[in-house]
Amino acid sequence: MELYEKLYQLRKKSGFTQSELAEKLGISRQTVSNWELGTSVPPSKRLIEISKLYQVPIDYLLNEPKAEPLDTSSLDKSILSTEH
C-alpha cells in the first residue's frame, strides 16, 4: 500500500474530515487532499506529527510490507553465481 493510501485510510479510520485533519496539523485542506491523491508527499515534520496523531510508527507510513523471499531452488545455480 502506498503512502497516500495509508494516509487516506488512517484519516477515515480516525473519523476526521480533511478539514479537521488540516486544522489539527495547521495546514490547508487542499494540502491534505494532495497527500491523499498522491500528488504531493508530506514533509518529514508532518510525517512525525501524523505518526503521533494516528499512533502508528513512521516506518509503517514510509515502507511497503516486506515481499516474500524469492524461491531460487528451481533456478540454475550458475545464473546466481557471482563468479563468471
Side-chain angles (χ1 to χ4, degrees):
M1 184 181 328
E2 297 289 328
L3 173 61
Y4 70 93
E5 295 167 309
K6 292 175 186 177
L7 293 173
Y8 173 79
Q9 287 185 353
L10 287 166
R11 180 180 60 78
K12 285 298 200 178
K13 185 177 177 181
S14 296
F16 297 134
T17 65
Q18 287 183 341
S19 295
E20 290 168 334
L21 177 60
E23 187 175 323
K24 287 183 180 299
L25 297 175
I27 58 175
S28 71
R29 186 211 54 82
Q30 187 63 42
T31 298
V32 173
S33 177
N34 288 337
W35 294 346
E36 292 180 358
L37 292 172
T39 58
S40 66
V41 177
S44 56
K45 175 185 174 186
R46 296 294 181 214
L47 286 172
I48 292 168
E49 293 171 355
I50 291 166
S51 170
K52 289 178 182 177
L53 179 67
Y54 294 137
Q55 299 179 344
V56 296
I58 291 176
D59 188 58
Y60 167 77
L61 295 173
L62 296 177
N63 294 312
E64 290 290 317
K66 300 261 188 252
E68 291 295 317
L70 178 64
D71 179 10
T72 59
S73 61
S74 63
L75 296 177
D76 181 353
K77 299 300 182 198
S78 66
I79 295 172
L80 300 175
S81 173
T82 57
E83 298 175 16
H84 290 286

